[in-house]
Amino acid sequence: MKKVLIIDSHQLFRDFLKQKLSIDQIEVVLTQENRDSYPKMLTLLPNLIILDMSEDRIEEMNFLEKKAGDPNTAGIPVIITGPTAEKSSIAALAKYGVIKYFAKPIQFDVFFEAIGHVLHNPLSMDTTPSVLDLHRNNSIIFIELAVGLNREKIALLQYKLTEMIETEEIDSPKILVMLTNLNLTFVDAYNLEFLLDNILACPKVHTKHVKILSLSPFLQEFLDGHEAYNGIEMSNNLPKVLNSLIDTTITSSVSDLITDRILTSSYLEEDSSSVETRFFSDTNSDPEALKNADGTVLKIAIIDSNLQTLAMSKAAFEGAGAKCSVYTTGQAFLADYAPEKFTLIILDVVLSDNMGLNILNSLKNRFDAPPVIVYTQSLQRDWIVKILSSGAKSYIVKPQKPQVLVQKSLALLKGEF
């Protein structure tokens, strides 16, 4: 059985991840205290560590330093969730075994795909198209579902809802579930149960305070047939539902209630620690965009006309969790180059099209260009001076064991070359 250590101070997020991974027969150990993280890692020796990074990063970096210094744990891959950070800062984490970095708010479909890829154990995912929106107005929480019922988003809903109630200190939350754009039938009964069970799993939510707005005749039959949902009221009439939720002594005008109390949301968007019901597929279906959003820490361009060296270098970097793009000519690289595409470039200046120095000179004056390591045959001193003066960060003489090249590259990214 694969084992995962989750180090995160947010209980709701830890519990959600544990529930999700356990479904796929993955053993999960949770910890929120950084001082407990290292001994738990030594005891468990997990296949993967999921680490939440705080803004100051001090305790997390201490943990990563200890991990990297222990030969028993140095090779354990790490996926980090954390605040938005500079590309160079993220790349420097690769030295500690960090292979993925997901800035919050996390897009969970991409996040789960990355976990499954690292564990060589693809996680089960419901891919049903679905839009789930959650917002609050005073003590009323609105849950709107459209297009379809996606079980991954519904599972997230329980934690999002609990977080909202706790953060806003709502003692007696009233829930309005809006399913007006869904054509529900008996086929949806399983997912409807899952939806209502997740809503009612929040400790402060009671059936008498849950209302459903829907046009589906089946939904009323569904509620009538479940004793656990006694007290949940369904209606196809918005004013009726509002009258049952809102203190109408404030105004007798339903239109005023809708304008003043419903459409004016008082729920402020959460900070970066919030769990959101957000999937990458909701906003983007471009495969190239997905490649750039998959959290990979190291994105390497390797430019070498020697196919054997190219293959060996690629395999070594991929073994360290990097994503590699390979080029046999300088022209092919320059035609494909974009500054945000790579965190490091490995360049043999002795190329079949003699474009090695042209690449260096082309990147030299670009402030957003990634660092370049020249990995080439032994050259005369004047060539080495020319290479370094053209912007290369270092010069490594071929041949080297591929792992040595990787280690020196990681050291460069960390600023220790």
Side-chain angles (χ1 to χ4, degrees):
M1 178 181 287
K2 298 295 176 66
K3 297 176 288 186
V4 174
L5 174 64
I6 299 175
I7 308 169
D8 197 312
S9 60
H10 304 98
Q11 180 181 350
L12 293 173
F13 186 58
R14 295 198 315 270
D15 291 345
F16 168 68
L17 286 183
K18 182 172 184 178
Q19 181 189 59
K20 172 64 183 173
L21 297 179
S22 297
I23 291 173
D24 289 279
Q25 307 302 310
I26 296 169
E27 180 184 348
V28 178
V29 173
L30 306 176
T31 179
Q32 68 181 67
E33 299 291 341
N34 280 289
R35 63 175 178 270
D36 296 335
S37 303
Y38 186 66
K40 283 194 175 182
M41 175 182 62
L42 292 177
T43 301
L44 184 66
L45 290 179
N47 303 98
L48 170 66
I49 297 169
I50 300 175
L51 172 65
D52 183 59
M53 185 76 78
S54 62
E55 288 283 353
D56 63 27
R57 308 196 335 164
I58 295 173
E59 292 187 349
E60 293 81 21
M61 291 307 300
N62 287 338
F63 168 78
L64 291 173
E65 288 280 3
K66 289 181 180 179
K67 171 190 172 296
D70 188 328
N72 294 313
T73 60
I76 299 174
V78 180
I79 293 178
I80 286 182
T81 61
T84 302
E86 293 290 332
K87 182 171 66 174
S88 58
S89 176
I90 293 173
L93 296 171
K95 183 176 178 65
Y96 304 102
V98 177
I99 60 173
K100 301 281 184 179
Y101 187 104
F102 288 94
K104 297 178 181 178
I106 298 168
Q107 295 169 327
F108 281 94
D109 48 350
V110 183
F111 181 61
F112 290 142
E113 183 176 347
I115 293 173
H117 178 75
V118 174
L119 295 176
H120 304 289
N121 181 23
L123 304 184
S124 56
M125 287 285 292
D126 184 354
T127 58
T128 303
S130 176
V131 176
L132 193 157
D133 183 50
L134 182 68
H135 68 277
R136 178 184 74 86
N137 185 288
N138 295 315
S139 63
I140 302 175
I141 296 174
F142 300 87
I143 300 170
E144 184 172 8
L145 273 158
V147 184
L149 297 172
N150 182 292
R151 292 181 67 83
E152 311 301 339
K153 293 191 175 185
I154 292 172
L156 266 173
L157 174 63
Q158 175 187 338
Y159 301 95
K160 174 75 170 181
L161 183 58
T162 300
E163 179 187 63
M164 182 181 287
I165 292 169
E166 292 181 353
T167 301
E168 301 299 316
E169 299 180 348
I170 307 172
D171 292 326
S172 183
K174 299 173 182 178
I175 311 295
L176 176 55
V177 185
M178 295 180 285
L179 305 175
T180 50
N181 292 326
L182 289 176
N183 183 23
L184 301 169
T185 68
F186 71 94
V187 176
D188 300 297
Y190 181 58
N191 286 333
L192 284 171
E193 286 182 350
F194 191 54
L195 170 64
L196 294 177
D197 289 346
N198 272 278
I199 292 172
L200 295 173
C202 302
K204 292 184 178 180
V205 174
H206 303 288
T207 54
K208 65 180 180 179
H209 290 150
V210 178
K211 312 296 179 184
I212 301 177
L213 185 66
S214 175
L215 303 176
S216 170
F218 165 75
L219 185 54
Q220 188 62 62
E221 297 177 15
F222 170 81
L223 292 173
D224 293 340
H226 284 73
E227 185 177 346
Y229 307 143
N230 283 345
I232 295 179
E233 178 186 349
M234 175 202 147
S235 177
N236 59 9
N237 185 291
L238 178 59
K240 180 180 177 182
V241 173
L242 294 179
N243 283 330
S244 67
L245 288 174
I246 300 174
D247 182 5
T248 55
T249 60
I250 297 174
T251 175
S252 59
S253 170
V254 171
S255 62
D256 288 345
L257 291 173
I258 295 173
T259 302
D260 299 336
R261 305 292 299 281
I262 304 301
L263 299 182
T264 306
S265 175
S266 62
Y267 180 63
L268 300 177
E269 187 174 338
E270 295 94 350
D271 61 17
S272 63
S273 66
S274 174
V275 179
E276 295 198 9
T277 54
R278 177 185 299 213
F279 282 11
F280 181 86
S281 55
D282 291 340
T283 56
N284 205 316
S285 58
D286 181 5
E288 284 301 315
L290 177 59
K291 291 179 183 178
N292 293 328
D294 69 352
T296 301
V297 168
L298 280 181
K299 298 179 181 179
I300 311 291
I302 307 174
I303 313 159
D304 199 319
S305 296
N306 186 309
L307 297 181
Q308 183 179 4
T309 303
L310 192 69
M312 291 173 63
S313 299
K314 179 176 184 289
F317 277 107
E318 288 180 342
K323 180 177 293 183
C324 297
S325 300
V326 296
Y327 307 90
T328 57
T329 66
Q331 289 182 336
F333 167 75
L334 290 174
D336 192 45
Y337 174 76
E340 71 281 355
K341 193 169 185 176
F342 305 112
T343 51
L344 182 68
I345 296 170
I346 307 296
L347 170 67
D348 183 354
V349 292
V350 184
L351 296 171
S352 58
D353 61 355
N354 298 313
M355 289 287 289
L357 283 179
N358 288 353
I359 290 174
L360 284 173
N361 289 322
S362 175
L363 298 177
K364 180 180 179 180
N365 296 321
R366 299 189 185 188
F367 73 93
D368 55 358
V372 180
I373 293 178
V374 169
Y375 180 49
T376 194
Q377 64 194 41
S378 180
L379 299 172
Q380 294 181 352
R381 180 178 176 81
D382 59 335
W383 260 86
I384 297 173
V385 172
K386 188 180 296 186
I387 287 170
L388 296 176
S389 63
S390 296
K393 294 297 182 182
S394 187
Y395 163 67
I396 301 175
V397 179
K398 283 185 179 181
Q400 299 279 346
K401 291 182 179 179
Q403 195 55 42
V404 172
L405 177 63
V406 172
Q407 290 171 354
K408 289 188 175 183
S409 298
L410 296 180
L412 169 71
L413 291 170
K414 191 173 181 288
E416 295 181 352
F417 202 88

